[in-house]
Amino acid sequence: MSSGNLIDGRAIAEQIHQETSARIDALKTRGVQPGLAFVRVGEDPASQVYVGMKERTSQRMGIYSFTRVLPETATQAELLQLIRELNGDSRIHGILVQAPIPRQIDSTVIYSSVRPEKDVDGFHPMNVGKLLLGDATGFVPCTPAGVHELLIRSGVKIEGAEVVVLGRGNIVGKPMAALLVQKTRNASATVTICHSQSRHIAEHCRRADIIIAAMGVAHFVKAEMVRPGAVVMDVGVNRISDHASKSGTRLVGDVDFAAVQPIAGRITPNPGGVGPMTIAMLMANTVRAAEMAAA
Ligand code: GUN
């Protein structure tokens, strides 16, 4: 099967890392090293992997970083105290509290407590509001920003395109739709958000020029839901059982890749598509936070 229609997220992320590295060098000549603090609560295995990858990338790029881990039983007051400390730490320009956060803690309170200038995740209500208003001084959540950048750098025309976003979560679906509907270059799309209560999802998808799958259902997007030539972006990370693998499980996306790739115009592989971009945008957001603090 031809791989000519793949959107290589690893290669595009590497290109962004190089641009970010140049900005880090420029900051260093001014005596500034960007700093990024990670906070993890509990021992969720996926969060351990994600935070580990993000911290290793930070260090490889010369960003000062560390991870603070609180126990699964931590109270909201303890987590707020840690965030207060990081808000006041002048070496730290970005703070990332990895989701999910244990149930006894109200994540809305937590994300509202991160200083907006250090909110490189783009989860603070101030940054959510700026995104909706089209105010580019805010931070855009890393995964939708990464999908947007992949579309732009792959030459996909977004203006006027019919886009279907599958999923309405605060981390991907809602900010993704807000980004693409803005009256700016590389946006101005006609955006439909579908979710678990939507009717006629297949019909919506079949009209789409661009499908962005972020609902967290393994292999949800089937070939018959995709118009030939459409662009398909797979944000999903789903663990399914797989008796053929040593662990008994494997990770798959929200797109039935084997069936959809032959008819898609362009498609992200998964892994190797959106995932690397999330990290690239986090690094870029952190460097921008440091640039703004140094300005
Ligand atoms: N969990 C899944 N995606 C993300 C993300 O982009 N940021 C944070 N903080 N947690 C997540």
Side-chain angles (χ1 to χ4, degrees), residues 47 50 54 96-100 111 121 123 141-143 171 278:
S47 291
Y50 291 139
K54 293 178 209 180
L96 183 145
V97 183
Q98 183 68 23
Y111 289 118
D121 249 337
F123 292 172
C142 301
T143 300
I171 296 181
T278 297

PDB file of all heavy atoms in Angstrom, residues 47 50 54 96-100 111 121 123 141-143 171 278, ligand 1:
ATOM      1  N   SER A  47      -0.239   8.552  32.259  1.00  0.00           N
ATOM      2  CA  SER A  47       0.298   9.865  32.625  1.00  0.00           C
ATOM      3  C   SER A  47       1.799   9.785  32.927  1.00  0.00           C
ATOM      4  O   SER A  47       2.553  10.702  32.590  1.00  0.00           O
ATOM      5  CB  SER A  47      -0.434  10.420  33.852  1.00  0.00           C
ATOM      6  OG  SER A  47      -1.765  10.744  33.510  1.00  0.00           O
ATOM      7  N   TYR A  50       3.449   9.788  29.512  1.00  0.00           N
ATOM      8  CA  TYR A  50       3.358  11.086  28.823  1.00  0.00           C
ATOM      9  C   TYR A  50       4.273  12.123  29.483  1.00  0.00           C
ATOM     10  O   TYR A  50       5.010  12.829  28.793  1.00  0.00           O
ATOM     11  CB  TYR A  50       1.921  11.618  28.837  1.00  0.00           C
ATOM     12  CG  TYR A  50       0.955  10.827  27.984  1.00  0.00           C
ATOM     13  CD1 TYR A  50      -0.332  10.552  28.429  1.00  0.00           C
ATOM     14  CD2 TYR A  50       1.320  10.355  26.724  1.00  0.00           C
ATOM     15  CE1 TYR A  50      -1.224   9.826  27.648  1.00  0.00           C
ATOM     16  CE2 TYR A  50       0.438   9.633  25.953  1.00  0.00           C
ATOM     17  CZ  TYR A  50      -0.832   9.371  26.408  1.00  0.00           C
ATOM     18  OH  TYR A  50      -1.710   8.657  25.644  1.00  0.00           O
ATOM     19  N   LYS A  54       7.536  14.056  27.884  1.00  0.00           N
ATOM     20  CA  LYS A  54       7.598  15.521  27.782  1.00  0.00           C
ATOM     21  C   LYS A  54       8.826  16.050  28.527  1.00  0.00           C
ATOM     22  O   LYS A  54       9.503  16.964  28.047  1.00  0.00           O
ATOM     23  CB  LYS A  54       6.324  16.153  28.370  1.00  0.00           C
ATOM     24  CG  LYS A  54       5.047  15.846  27.562  1.00  0.00           C
ATOM     25  CD  LYS A  54       3.820  16.470  28.231  1.00  0.00           C
ATOM     26  CE  LYS A  54       2.558  15.689  27.952  1.00  0.00           C
ATOM     27  NZ  LYS A  54       1.358  16.264  28.575  1.00  0.00           N
ATOM     28  N   LEU A  96       2.607  22.526  33.900  1.00  0.00           N
ATOM     29  CA  LEU A  96       1.673  21.579  33.285  1.00  0.00           C
ATOM     30  C   LEU A  96       1.211  20.593  34.354  1.00  0.00           C
ATOM     31  O   LEU A  96       2.027  19.876  34.934  1.00  0.00           O
ATOM     32  CB  LEU A  96       2.353  20.831  32.135  1.00  0.00           C
ATOM     33  CG  LEU A  96       1.459  19.860  31.361  1.00  0.00           C
ATOM     34  CD1 LEU A  96       1.825  19.839  29.892  1.00  0.00           C
ATOM     35  CD2 LEU A  96       1.538  18.457  31.941  1.00  0.00           C
ATOM     36  N   VAL A  97      -0.072  20.618  34.659  1.00  0.00           N
ATOM     37  CA  VAL A  97      -0.657  19.651  35.594  1.00  0.00           C
ATOM     38  C   VAL A  97      -1.307  18.567  34.741  1.00  0.00           C
ATOM     39  O   VAL A  97      -2.305  18.819  34.054  1.00  0.00           O
ATOM     40  CB  VAL A  97      -1.709  20.309  36.509  1.00  0.00           C
ATOM     41  CG1 VAL A  97      -2.241  19.293  37.519  1.00  0.00           C
ATOM     42  CG2 VAL A  97      -1.120  21.529  37.222  1.00  0.00           C
ATOM     43  N   GLN A  98      -0.726  17.379  34.755  1.00  0.00           N
ATOM     44  CA  GLN A  98      -1.194  16.337  33.836  1.00  0.00           C
ATOM     45  C   GLN A  98      -2.595  15.859  34.213  1.00  0.00           C
ATOM     46  O   GLN A  98      -2.871  15.534  35.366  1.00  0.00           O
ATOM     47  CB  GLN A  98      -0.204  15.154  33.863  1.00  0.00           C
ATOM     48  CG  GLN A  98      -0.524  14.035  32.903  1.00  0.00           C
ATOM     49  CD  GLN A  98      -0.349  14.415  31.433  1.00  0.00           C
ATOM     50  OE1 GLN A  98       0.390  15.330  31.088  1.00  0.00           O
ATOM     51  NE2 GLN A  98      -1.037  13.704  30.555  1.00  0.00           N
ATOM     52  N   ALA A  99      -3.471  15.834  33.219  1.00  0.00           N
ATOM     53  CA  ALA A  99      -4.813  15.256  33.388  1.00  0.00           C
ATOM     54  C   ALA A  99      -4.724  13.766  33.065  1.00  0.00           C
ATOM     55  O   ALA A  99      -3.906  13.367  32.242  1.00  0.00           O
ATOM     56  CB  ALA A  99      -5.789  15.950  32.443  1.00  0.00           C
ATOM     57  N   PRO A 100      -5.520  12.893  33.652  1.00  0.00           N
ATOM     58  CA  PRO A 100      -6.584  13.203  34.613  1.00  0.00           C
ATOM     59  C   PRO A 100      -6.054  13.413  36.035  1.00  0.00           C
ATOM     60  O   PRO A 100      -5.033  12.867  36.423  1.00  0.00           O
ATOM     61  CB  PRO A 100      -7.463  11.954  34.545  1.00  0.00           C
ATOM     62  CG  PRO A 100      -6.522  10.835  34.170  1.00  0.00           C
ATOM     63  CD  PRO A 100      -5.475  11.468  33.292  1.00  0.00           C
ATOM     64  N   TYR A 111      -6.996  24.212  37.354  1.00  0.00           N
ATOM     65  CA  TYR A 111      -6.532  24.895  36.142  1.00  0.00           C
ATOM     66  C   TYR A 111      -6.723  26.403  36.243  1.00  0.00           C
ATOM     67  O   TYR A 111      -5.988  27.162  35.617  1.00  0.00           O
ATOM     68  CB  TYR A 111      -7.190  24.283  34.900  1.00  0.00           C
ATOM     69  CG  TYR A 111      -6.645  22.895  34.633  1.00  0.00           C
ATOM     70  CD1 TYR A 111      -7.454  21.768  34.657  1.00  0.00           C
ATOM     71  CD2 TYR A 111      -5.278  22.719  34.432  1.00  0.00           C
ATOM     72  CE1 TYR A 111      -6.923  20.503  34.460  1.00  0.00           C
ATOM     73  CE2 TYR A 111      -4.736  21.453  34.237  1.00  0.00           C
ATOM     74  CZ  TYR A 111      -5.562  20.350  34.248  1.00  0.00           C
ATOM     75  OH  TYR A 111      -5.030  19.109  34.068  1.00  0.00           O
ATOM     76  N   ASP A 121      -0.489  24.855  28.931  1.00  0.00           N
ATOM     77  CA  ASP A 121      -1.508  23.899  28.492  1.00  0.00           C
ATOM     78  C   ASP A 121      -2.716  24.613  27.871  1.00  0.00           C
ATOM     79  O   ASP A 121      -3.542  23.978  27.211  1.00  0.00           O
ATOM     80  CB  ASP A 121      -2.036  23.122  29.713  1.00  0.00           C
ATOM     81  CG  ASP A 121      -1.617  21.663  29.702  1.00  0.00           C
ATOM     82  OD1 ASP A 121      -1.314  21.135  28.619  1.00  0.00           O
ATOM     83  OD2 ASP A 121      -1.616  21.062  30.793  1.00  0.00           O
ATOM     84  N   PHE A 123      -5.314  25.789  29.538  1.00  0.00           N
ATOM     85  CA  PHE A 123      -6.530  25.309  30.210  1.00  0.00           C
ATOM     86  C   PHE A 123      -7.156  26.361  31.128  1.00  0.00           C
ATOM     87  O   PHE A 123      -8.274  26.196  31.603  1.00  0.00           O
ATOM     88  CB  PHE A 123      -6.242  24.058  31.060  1.00  0.00           C
ATOM     89  CG  PHE A 123      -5.878  22.819  30.266  1.00  0.00           C
ATOM     90  CD1 PHE A 123      -5.438  21.671  30.929  1.00  0.00           C
ATOM     91  CD2 PHE A 123      -6.000  22.771  28.884  1.00  0.00           C
ATOM     92  CE1 PHE A 123      -5.112  20.518  30.222  1.00  0.00           C
ATOM     93  CE2 PHE A 123      -5.678  21.620  28.171  1.00  0.00           C
ATOM     94  CZ  PHE A 123      -5.231  20.491  28.841  1.00  0.00           C
ATOM     95  N   PRO A 141      -4.294  25.159  23.696  1.00  0.00           N
ATOM     96  CA  PRO A 141      -3.973  23.801  24.137  1.00  0.00           C
ATOM     97  C   PRO A 141      -3.143  23.045  23.084  1.00  0.00           C
ATOM     98  O   PRO A 141      -3.354  23.200  21.875  1.00  0.00           O
ATOM     99  CB  PRO A 141      -5.348  23.160  24.342  1.00  0.00           C
ATOM    100  CG  PRO A 141      -6.236  24.306  24.709  1.00  0.00           C
ATOM    101  CD  PRO A 141      -5.729  25.460  23.871  1.00  0.00           C
ATOM    102  N   CYS A 142      -2.203  22.255  23.561  1.00  0.00           N
ATOM    103  CA  CYS A 142      -1.137  21.728  22.695  1.00  0.00           C
ATOM    104  C   CYS A 142      -1.630  20.769  21.618  1.00  0.00           C
ATOM    105  O   CYS A 142      -1.127  20.786  20.490  1.00  0.00           O
ATOM    106  CB  CYS A 142      -0.082  21.034  23.559  1.00  0.00           C
ATOM    107  SG  CYS A 142       0.630  22.140  24.772  1.00  0.00           S
ATOM    108  N   THR A 143      -2.609  19.920  21.930  1.00  0.00           N
ATOM    109  CA  THR A 143      -3.024  18.935  20.926  1.00  0.00           C
ATOM    110  C   THR A 143      -3.779  19.598  19.771  1.00  0.00           C
ATOM    111  O   THR A 143      -3.421  19.387  18.606  1.00  0.00           O
ATOM    112  CB  THR A 143      -3.822  17.795  21.577  1.00  0.00           C
ATOM    113  OG1 THR A 143      -2.970  17.161  22.539  1.00  0.00           O
ATOM    114  CG2 THR A 143      -4.256  16.765  20.545  1.00  0.00           C
ATOM    115  N   ILE A 171     -10.017  19.381  26.266  1.00  0.00           N
ATOM    116  CA  ILE A 171      -8.597  19.335  25.893  1.00  0.00           C
ATOM    117  C   ILE A 171      -8.431  19.364  24.378  1.00  0.00           C
ATOM    118  O   ILE A 171      -7.496  19.958  23.863  1.00  0.00           O
ATOM    119  CB  ILE A 171      -7.906  18.087  26.520  1.00  0.00           C
ATOM    120  CG1 ILE A 171      -7.915  18.184  28.054  1.00  0.00           C
ATOM    121  CG2 ILE A 171      -6.490  17.929  26.002  1.00  0.00           C
ATOM    122  CD1 ILE A 171      -7.240  17.027  28.778  1.00  0.00           C
ATOM    123  N   THR A 278       1.900  17.232  19.804  1.00  0.00           N
ATOM    124  CA  THR A 278       1.477  17.743  21.108  1.00  0.00           C
ATOM    125  C   THR A 278       2.698  18.190  21.907  1.00  0.00           C
ATOM    126  O   THR A 278       2.713  19.274  22.507  1.00  0.00           O
ATOM    127  CB  THR A 278       0.693  16.653  21.868  1.00  0.00           C
ATOM    128  OG1 THR A 278      -0.488  16.354  21.131  1.00  0.00           O
ATOM    129  CG2 THR A 278       0.307  17.116  23.259  1.00  0.00           C
TER     130      THR A 278
HETATM  131  N1  GUN B   1      -3.852  14.670  29.396  1.00  0.00           N
HETATM  132  C1  GUN B   1      -4.076  14.348  28.106  1.00  0.00           C
HETATM  133  N2  GUN B   1      -3.687  15.352  27.299  1.00  0.00           N
HETATM  134  C2  GUN B   1      -3.203  16.324  28.101  1.00  0.00           C
HETATM  135  C3  GUN B   1      -2.652  17.619  27.853  1.00  0.00           C
HETATM  136  O1  GUN B   1      -2.523  18.097  26.718  1.00  0.00           O
HETATM  137  N3  GUN B   1      -2.267  18.315  28.943  1.00  0.00           N
HETATM  138  C4  GUN B   1      -2.408  17.830  30.195  1.00  0.00           C
HETATM  139  N4  GUN B   1      -2.013  18.593  31.212  1.00  0.00           N
HETATM  140  N5  GUN B   1      -2.914  16.656  30.464  1.00  0.00           N
HETATM  141  C5  GUN B   1      -3.312  15.904  29.421  1.00  0.00           C
END
